[in-house]
Protein backbone atom coordinates (compact mmCIF):
# COMPACT_ATOMS: atom_id res chain seq x y z
CA UNK A 1 0.00 0.00 0.00
CA UNK A 2 1.82 3.09 -1.16
CA UNK A 3 -1.08 5.51 -1.66
CA UNK A 4 -3.60 6.77 0.86
CA UNK A 5 -6.62 8.99 0.22
CA UNK A 6 -7.12 11.13 3.32
CA UNK A 7 -10.42 12.93 3.87
CA UNK A 8 -10.14 16.24 5.65
CA UNK A 9 -13.15 17.90 7.24
CA UNK A 10 -14.54 19.57 4.11
CA UNK A 11 -16.07 16.89 1.91
CA UNK A 12 -16.02 13.33 3.21
CA UNK A 13 -18.56 12.23 0.62
CA UNK A 14 -16.41 13.04 -2.41
CA UNK A 15 -13.27 11.72 -0.65
CA UNK A 16 -14.91 8.31 -0.22
CA UNK A 17 -16.06 8.28 -3.85
CA UNK A 18 -12.54 9.09 -5.04
CA UNK A 19 -11.00 6.34 -2.89
CA UNK A 20 -13.58 3.80 -4.06
CA UNK A 21 -13.26 4.62 -7.75
CA UNK A 22 -9.45 4.86 -7.62
CA UNK A 23 -9.41 1.60 -5.61
CA UNK A 24 -7.09 3.08 -3.00
CA UNK A 25 -7.07 2.89 0.80
CA UNK A 26 -9.03 5.56 2.58
CA UNK A 27 -8.73 7.20 5.95
CA UNK A 28 -10.11 10.24 7.69
CA UNK A 29 -7.86 12.81 9.29
CA UNK A 30 -8.50 13.15 13.02
CA UNK A 31 -9.13 16.76 13.95
CA UNK A 32 -9.35 18.03 17.52
CA UNK A 33 -10.45 21.50 18.45
CA UNK A 34 -9.47 22.80 21.89
CA UNK A 35 -11.62 25.13 24.01
CA UNK A 36 -9.45 28.11 23.09
CA UNK A 37 -9.89 27.43 19.36
CA UNK A 38 -6.48 25.88 18.71
CA UNK A 39 -6.48 22.60 16.79
CA UNK A 40 -4.39 19.52 16.35
CA UNK A 41 -4.58 16.89 13.65
CA UNK A 42 -3.49 13.28 13.49
CA UNK A 43 -3.02 10.71 10.75
CA UNK A 44 -4.34 7.41 12.07
CA UNK A 45 -2.44 5.39 9.45
CA UNK A 46 1.31 5.34 8.86
CA UNK A 47 2.15 7.76 6.08
CA UNK A 48 5.96 7.65 6.10
CA UNK A 49 7.24 6.93 2.61
CA UNK A 50 3.69 6.83 1.20
CA UNK A 51 2.00 9.04 -1.36
CA UNK A 52 -0.85 10.83 0.32
CA UNK A 53 -3.79 12.51 -1.38
CA UNK A 54 -5.43 14.97 1.00
CA UNK A 55 -8.97 15.88 -0.02
CA UNK A 56 -10.36 19.18 1.17
CA UNK A 57 -13.25 21.32 -0.07
CA UNK A 58 -12.79 24.69 1.53
CA UNK A 59 -16.25 25.74 2.68
CA UNK A 60 -18.02 26.62 5.92
CA UNK A 61 -19.35 23.34 7.33
CA UNK A 62 -19.19 21.23 10.50
CA UNK A 63 -18.76 24.35 12.66
CA UNK A 64 -15.56 25.18 10.83
CA UNK A 65 -15.09 28.16 8.56
CA UNK A 66 -13.21 27.88 5.29
CA UNK A 67 -10.33 29.69 7.00
CA UNK A 68 -10.32 27.06 9.78
CA UNK A 69 -10.04 24.49 7.01
CA UNK A 70 -7.04 26.28 5.56
CA UNK A 71 -5.28 25.89 8.92
CA UNK A 72 -6.39 22.24 9.18
CA UNK A 73 -5.05 21.54 5.68
CA UNK A 74 -1.74 23.29 6.34
CA UNK A 75 -1.31 21.34 9.58
CA UNK A 76 -1.94 18.12 7.62
CA UNK A 77 0.49 19.06 4.84
CA UNK A 78 3.31 20.15 7.14
CA UNK A 79 2.81 17.14 9.44
CA UNK A 80 2.97 14.83 6.42
CA UNK A 81 6.19 16.55 5.36
CA UNK A 82 7.58 16.14 8.86
CA UNK A 83 6.63 12.45 8.87
CA UNK A 84 8.42 11.99 5.54
CA UNK A 85 5.45 11.19 3.32
CA UNK A 86 6.85 10.35 -0.11
CA UNK A 87 4.54 12.75 -1.98
CA UNK A 88 1.90 15.17 -0.75
CA UNK A 89 -0.94 15.83 -3.15
CA UNK A 90 -3.87 18.09 -2.33
CA UNK A 91 -7.17 17.45 -4.08
CA UNK A 92 -9.15 20.63 -3.62
CA UNK A 93 -12.52 20.27 -5.37
CA UNK A 94 -13.04 23.90 -4.37
CA UNK A 95 -9.93 25.97 -3.75
CA UNK A 96 -10.71 29.42 -2.32
CA UNK A 97 -9.27 32.91 -2.87
CA UNK A 98 -8.91 32.67 -6.66
CA UNK A 99 -11.21 35.68 -6.96
CA UNK A 100 -8.74 37.70 -4.90
CA UNK A 101 -6.29 37.86 -7.80
CA UNK A 102 -5.23 41.51 -7.70
CA UNK A 103 -4.82 44.39 -5.30
CA UNK A 104 -8.12 46.18 -5.89
CA UNK A 105 -7.37 48.93 -3.34
CA UNK A 106 -4.06 50.28 -2.16
CA UNK A 107 -2.68 48.26 0.75
CA UNK A 108 -5.07 45.34 0.19
CA UNK A 109 -4.07 41.65 0.39
CA UNK A 110 -3.98 39.47 -2.73
CA UNK A 111 -5.46 36.24 -1.39
CA UNK A 112 -4.35 33.85 -4.09
CA UNK A 113 -0.69 34.95 -3.82
CA UNK A 114 -0.72 34.25 -0.09
CA UNK A 115 -2.38 30.86 -0.66
CA UNK A 116 0.29 30.07 -3.25
CA UNK A 117 3.06 30.73 -0.75
CA UNK A 118 1.39 28.74 2.02
CA UNK A 119 0.60 25.71 -0.14
CA UNK A 120 3.74 25.65 -2.31
CA UNK A 121 5.10 22.77 -0.22
CA UNK A 122 2.55 20.38 -1.84
CA UNK A 123 3.84 18.31 -4.74
CA UNK A 124 0.66 19.03 -6.67
CA UNK A 125 -2.68 20.72 -6.06
CA UNK A 126 -5.61 19.42 -8.11
CA UNK A 127 -8.19 22.19 -8.44
CA UNK A 128 -11.52 21.92 -10.18
CA UNK A 129 -12.43 24.77 -12.49
CA UNK A 130 -10.82 27.47 -10.36
CA UNK A 131 -11.87 31.06 -10.96
CA UNK A 132 -9.28 32.07 -13.55
CA UNK A 133 -10.22 35.57 -14.52
CA UNK A 134 -7.48 38.17 -14.72
CA UNK A 135 -4.88 35.40 -14.37
CA UNK A 136 -5.54 32.97 -17.22
CA UNK A 137 -3.14 30.14 -16.41
CA UNK A 138 -3.48 28.33 -13.10
CA UNK A 139 0.30 28.02 -12.78
CA UNK A 140 0.58 31.81 -12.63
CA UNK A 141 -1.68 31.80 -9.59
CA UNK A 142 -0.81 28.52 -7.90
CA UNK A 143 2.59 27.25 -9.01
CA UNK A 144 1.82 23.59 -8.16
CA UNK A 145 -1.78 23.82 -9.32
CA UNK A 146 -3.37 21.79 -12.06
CA UNK A 147 -6.85 22.24 -13.42
CA UNK A 148 -9.62 19.68 -13.81
CA UNK A 149 -12.40 20.84 -16.08
CA UNK A 150 -15.99 19.78 -15.58
CA UNK A 151 -17.54 20.27 -19.02
CA UNK A 152 -18.30 16.56 -19.43
CA UNK A 153 -20.39 15.89 -16.31
CA UNK A 154 -22.34 19.12 -16.87
CA UNK A 155 -23.03 18.23 -20.50
CA UNK A 156 -24.03 14.68 -19.46
CA UNK A 157 -26.43 16.08 -16.87
CA UNK A 158 -28.06 18.45 -19.36
CA UNK A 159 -28.33 15.70 -21.99
CA UNK A 160 -30.30 13.65 -19.47
CA UNK A 161 -32.84 16.46 -19.10
CA UNK A 162 -34.73 16.17 -22.37
CA UNK A 163 -34.06 19.80 -23.26
CA UNK A 164 -35.64 20.78 -26.59
CA UNK A 165 -34.84 24.41 -27.22
CA UNK A 166 -32.05 25.67 -24.99
CA UNK A 167 -30.56 29.12 -24.69
CA UNK A 168 -27.22 29.14 -22.88
CA UNK A 169 -26.34 32.20 -20.87
CA UNK A 170 -23.10 33.26 -19.26
CA UNK A 171 -24.01 35.63 -16.43
CA UNK A 172 -20.81 37.69 -16.80
CA UNK A 173 -17.87 38.05 -19.17
CA UNK A 174 -15.53 35.59 -17.49
CA UNK A 175 -18.20 32.85 -17.43
CA UNK A 176 -17.67 32.45 -21.19
CA UNK A 177 -14.86 29.92 -20.49
CA UNK A 178 -17.38 27.57 -18.82
CA UNK A 179 -20.56 28.17 -20.80
CA UNK A 180 -18.99 28.06 -24.27
CA UNK A 181 -17.97 24.38 -24.19
CA UNK A 182 -21.30 23.27 -22.79
CA UNK A 183 -23.24 25.32 -25.37
CA UNK A 184 -21.05 23.93 -28.20
CA UNK A 185 -22.02 20.38 -27.19
CA UNK A 186 -25.58 21.43 -28.15
CA UNK A 187 -24.37 23.29 -31.27
CA UNK A 188 -25.35 26.61 -29.72
CA UNK A 189 -23.64 29.92 -29.11
CA UNK A 190 -24.11 31.40 -25.65
CA UNK A 191 -25.43 34.82 -24.77
CA UNK A 192 -23.05 36.61 -22.42
CA UNK A 193 -24.24 39.28 -20.01
CA UNK A 194 -22.13 42.16 -18.78
CA UNK A 195 -21.76 42.49 -15.04
CA UNK A 196 -20.71 45.51 -13.03
CA UNK A 197 -19.85 44.58 -9.48
CA UNK A 198 -20.57 47.41 -7.05
CA UNK A 199 -19.85 45.45 -3.87
CA UNK A 200 -19.64 41.84 -2.68
CA UNK A 201 -23.45 41.81 -2.45
CA UNK A 202 -24.46 44.12 -5.27
CA UNK A 203 -24.09 43.60 -9.01
CA UNK A 204 -25.70 45.19 -12.05
CA UNK A 205 -26.37 43.16 -15.18
CA UNK A 206 -26.77 44.26 -18.77
CA UNK A 207 -27.87 41.79 -21.43
CA UNK A 208 -27.02 42.15 -25.12
CA UNK A 209 -29.70 44.15 -26.94
CA UNK A 210 -31.52 41.21 -28.58
CA UNK A 211 -32.08 38.05 -26.57
CA UNK A 212 -34.28 35.42 -28.11
CA UNK A 213 -35.38 33.63 -24.95
CA UNK A 214 -39.13 33.32 -25.47
CA UNK A 215 -40.39 29.81 -24.67
CA UNK A 216 -36.84 28.50 -24.40
CA UNK A 217 -35.13 26.52 -21.70
CA UNK A 218 -32.64 28.98 -20.25
CA UNK A 219 -29.44 27.45 -18.96
CA UNK A 220 -27.36 29.90 -16.98
CA UNK A 221 -23.91 28.59 -16.09
CA UNK A 222 -21.39 30.16 -13.72
CA UNK A 223 -18.38 28.79 -11.88
CA UNK A 224 -19.45 30.02 -8.44
CA UNK A 225 -22.79 30.82 -6.89
CA UNK A 226 -22.10 32.65 -3.65
CA UNK A 227 -24.76 35.16 -2.56
CA UNK A 228 -26.70 34.24 -5.72
CA UNK A 229 -27.00 37.90 -6.70
CA UNK A 230 -25.26 37.44 -10.06
CA UNK A 231 -27.83 34.76 -10.94
CA UNK A 232 -30.77 36.73 -9.49
CA UNK A 233 -29.95 39.87 -11.45
CA UNK A 234 -29.60 37.84 -14.64
CA UNK A 235 -32.93 36.13 -14.00
CA UNK A 236 -34.60 39.50 -13.44
CA UNK A 237 -33.52 40.68 -16.89
CA UNK A 238 -34.08 37.37 -18.69
CA UNK A 239 -37.56 36.75 -17.32
CA UNK A 240 -38.75 39.78 -19.29
CA UNK A 241 -38.42 37.56 -22.40
CA UNK A 242 -40.73 34.90 -20.98
CA UNK A 243 -38.56 31.75 -21.09
CA UNK A 244 -40.23 28.38 -20.64
CA UNK A 245 -37.94 27.05 -17.92
CA UNK A 246 -34.77 28.14 -16.12
CA UNK A 247 -31.81 25.99 -15.11
CA UNK A 248 -29.20 27.62 -12.88
CA UNK A 249 -25.95 25.72 -12.91
CA UNK A 250 -23.13 26.58 -10.53
CA UNK A 251 -20.00 24.48 -10.62
CA UNK A 252 -19.22 25.44 -7.03
CA UNK A 253 -22.40 25.99 -5.02
CA UNK A 254 -21.32 28.03 -2.03
CA UNK A 255 -24.88 29.35 -1.54
CA UNK A 256 -23.99 31.90 1.14
CA UNK A 257 -26.65 33.82 3.06
CA UNK A 258 -29.62 31.65 2.09
CA UNK A 259 -28.91 31.93 -1.64
CA UNK A 260 -30.26 28.49 -2.47
CA UNK A 261 -33.70 29.30 -1.02
CA UNK A 262 -33.82 32.62 -2.91
CA UNK A 263 -32.88 30.97 -6.21
CA UNK A 264 -35.23 28.00 -5.87
CA UNK A 265 -38.20 30.29 -6.51
CA UNK A 266 -36.97 30.89 -10.04
CA UNK A 267 -35.90 27.57 -11.47
CA UNK A 268 -34.02 24.34 -11.17
CA UNK A 269 -30.79 24.81 -9.23
CA UNK A 270 -27.99 22.39 -9.89
CA UNK A 271 -24.44 22.29 -8.65
CA UNK A 272 -21.64 19.77 -8.68
CA UNK A 273 -20.45 17.99 -5.56
CA UNK A 274 -17.18 19.95 -5.30
CA UNK A 275 -18.95 21.50 -2.32
CA UNK A 276 -21.56 19.93 -0.09
CA UNK A 277 -25.01 21.49 -0.50
CA UNK A 278 -28.63 20.55 -1.17
CA UNK A 279 -28.26 20.90 -4.94
CA UNK A 280 -25.00 18.96 -5.44
CA UNK A 281 -26.38 16.43 -7.90
CA UNK A 282 -23.61 16.38 -10.52
CA UNK A 283 -20.92 13.98 -9.33
CA UNK A 284 -17.41 14.94 -10.42
CA UNK A 285 -15.41 12.17 -8.77
CA UNK A 286 -14.82 10.37 -12.11
CA UNK A 287 -13.08 13.47 -13.51
CA UNK A 288 -10.88 13.70 -10.42
CA UNK A 289 -9.95 10.02 -10.56
CA UNK A 290 -9.08 10.31 -14.28
CA UNK A 291 -6.69 13.14 -13.47
CA UNK A 292 -4.97 11.62 -10.41
CA UNK A 293 -4.56 8.13 -11.93
CA UNK A 294 -1.05 8.68 -13.25
CA UNK A 295 0.13 9.93 -9.85
CA UNK A 296 -1.23 6.83 -8.10
CA UNK A 297 1.02 4.35 -9.93
C1 LIG B 1 -17.19 35.92 -10.07
O1 LIG B 1 -17.24 36.71 -10.98
C2 LIG B 1 -17.78 34.56 -10.16
O2 LIG B 1 -17.62 34.03 -11.44
C3 LIG B 1 -19.25 34.54 -9.77
O3 LIG B 1 -20.00 35.19 -10.77
C4 LIG B 1 -19.48 35.19 -8.46
O4 LIG B 1 -18.59 34.71 -7.49
C5 LIG B 1 -20.91 34.96 -8.00
O5 LIG B 1 -21.09 35.60 -6.80
P1 LIG B 1 -22.53 35.94 -6.27
O6 LIG B 1 -23.33 34.69 -6.30
O7 LIG B 1 -22.29 36.44 -4.86
O8 LIG B 1 -23.11 37.00 -7.15
Amino acid sequence: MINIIVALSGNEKISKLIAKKAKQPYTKLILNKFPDGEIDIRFNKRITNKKIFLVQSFQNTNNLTLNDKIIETLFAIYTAKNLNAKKIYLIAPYFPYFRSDKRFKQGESVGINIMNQLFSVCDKIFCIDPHLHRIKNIKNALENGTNISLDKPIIDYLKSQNIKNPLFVGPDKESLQWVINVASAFNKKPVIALKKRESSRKVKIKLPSKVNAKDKELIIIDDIISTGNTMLENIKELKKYKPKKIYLIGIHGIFAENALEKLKKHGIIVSTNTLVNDADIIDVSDEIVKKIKRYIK
Side-chain angles (χ1 to χ4, degrees):
M1 180 179 68
I2 57 154
N3 303 297
I4 309 186
I5 310 286
V6 187
L8 277 63
S9 64
N11 196 337
E12 224 181 307
K13 211 165 111 191
I14 205 166
S15 315
K16 280 187 179 155
L17 284 170
I18 294 167
K20 194 170 162 210
K21 291 180 180 178
K23 299 191 180 73
Q24 296 303 317
Y26 167 88
T27 188
K28 193 169 160 22
L29 188 80
I30 296 169
L31 169 68
N32 282 316
K33 200 167 178 186
F34 295 101
D36 60 0
E38 288 185 358
I39 62 156
D40 75 14
I41 60 96
R42 189 163 68 81
F43 290 93
N44 65 357
K45 291 223 161 81
R46 275 185 68 82
I47 59 166
T48 301
N49 217 17
K50 292 186 178 155
K51 292 195 254 175
I52 62 162
F53 294 77
L54 305 168
V55 187
Q56 177 69 290
S57 284
F58 296 91
Q59 73 181 126
N60 304 327
T61 54
N62 308 335
N63 290 327
L64 295 168
T65 66
L66 78 88
N67 289 322
D68 291 336
K69 286 177 187 169
I70 290 173
I71 297 291
E72 175 200 7
T73 311
L74 290 170
F75 272 44
I77 291 167
Y78 284 88
T79 304
K81 192 97 196 144
N82 189 244
L83 291 170
N84 294 320
K86 191 170 172 184
K87 293 277 180 195
I88 303 167
Y89 299 117
L90 173 62
I91 301 174
Y94 176 69
F95 194 92
Y97 287 103
F98 267 98
R99 286 171 296 175
S100 172
D101 61 358
K102 77 167 204 182
R103 202 178 313 287
F104 295 93
K105 292 185 188 135
Q106 204 199 333
E108 196 181 15
S109 54
V110 181
I112 197 60
N113 290 351
I114 298 167
M115 294 293 279
N116 181 38
Q117 285 171 39
L118 292 171
F119 285 83
S120 61
V121 63
C122 290
D123 289 286
K124 188 131 314 267
I125 306 174
F126 300 92
C127 299
I128 295 191
D129 276 329
H131 186 81
L132 295 171
H133 177 189
R134 285 158 284 262
I135 300 173
K136 305 289 178 214
N137 184 333
I138 187 169
K139 297 240 179 303
N140 295 333
L142 215 50
E143 62 199 59
N144 298 335
T146 186
N147 186 6
I148 302 174
S149 162
L150 291 188
D151 299 340
K152 186 179 176 306
I154 295 173
I155 293 166
D156 289 349
Y157 165 76
L158 288 169
K159 291 216 160 147
S160 74
Q161 291 299 296
N162 193 25
I163 290 165
K164 300 255 179 324
N165 199 5
L167 176 71
F168 291 89
V169 179
D172 55 24
K173 231 165 72 186
E174 64 267 23
S175 67
L176 178 69
Q177 59 187 298
W178 296 286
V179 75
I180 192 141
N181 294 341
V182 180
S184 308
F186 290 78
N187 296 319
K188 301 283 179 195
K189 279 199 177 141
V191 166
I192 304 294
L194 284 181
K195 174 165 90 180
K196 187 163 180 273
R197 184 168 283 286
E198 297 189 340
S199 72
S200 53
R201 291 184 179 77
K202 198 161 190 289
V203 295
K204 280 198 174 146
I205 294 294
K206 200 166 177 283
L207 290 174
S209 53
K210 277 187 207 149
V211 179
N212 184 6
K214 190 160 166 33
D215 295 331
K216 292 196 172 170
E217 289 119 333
L218 284 189
I219 300 164
I220 314 179
I221 303 179
D222 205 356
D223 60 332
I224 297 172
I225 303 179
S226 181
T227 63
N229 289 329
T230 298
M231 287 294 194
L232 286 166
E233 290 303 312
N234 269 270
I235 294 166
K236 204 161 90 188
E237 293 306 312
L238 287 157
K239 270 195 165 171
K240 294 175 185 164
Y241 297 96
K242 304 206 181 323
K244 182 173 152 198
K245 202 171 180 179
I246 300 179
Y247 287 88
L248 301 171
I249 305 209
I251 296 174
H252 308 295
I254 295 176
F255 300 121
E257 303 175 348
N258 222 16
L260 189 54
E261 292 311 309
K262 290 184 212 158
L263 291 167
K264 267 183 188 163
K265 296 175 194 146
H266 301 281
I268 299 169
I269 325 298
V270 177
S271 87
T272 76
N273 59 352
T274 61
L275 294 171
V276 179
N277 61 58
D278 288 340
D280 58 1
I281 61 174
I282 302 180
D283 174 29
V284 303
S285 55
D286 281 335
E287 305 311 300
I288 296 175
V289 172
K290 266 187 232 161
K291 187 81 175 193
I292 64 170
K293 238 178 188 153
R294 57 183 268 238
Y295 300 91
I296 282 174
K297 283 176 187 154

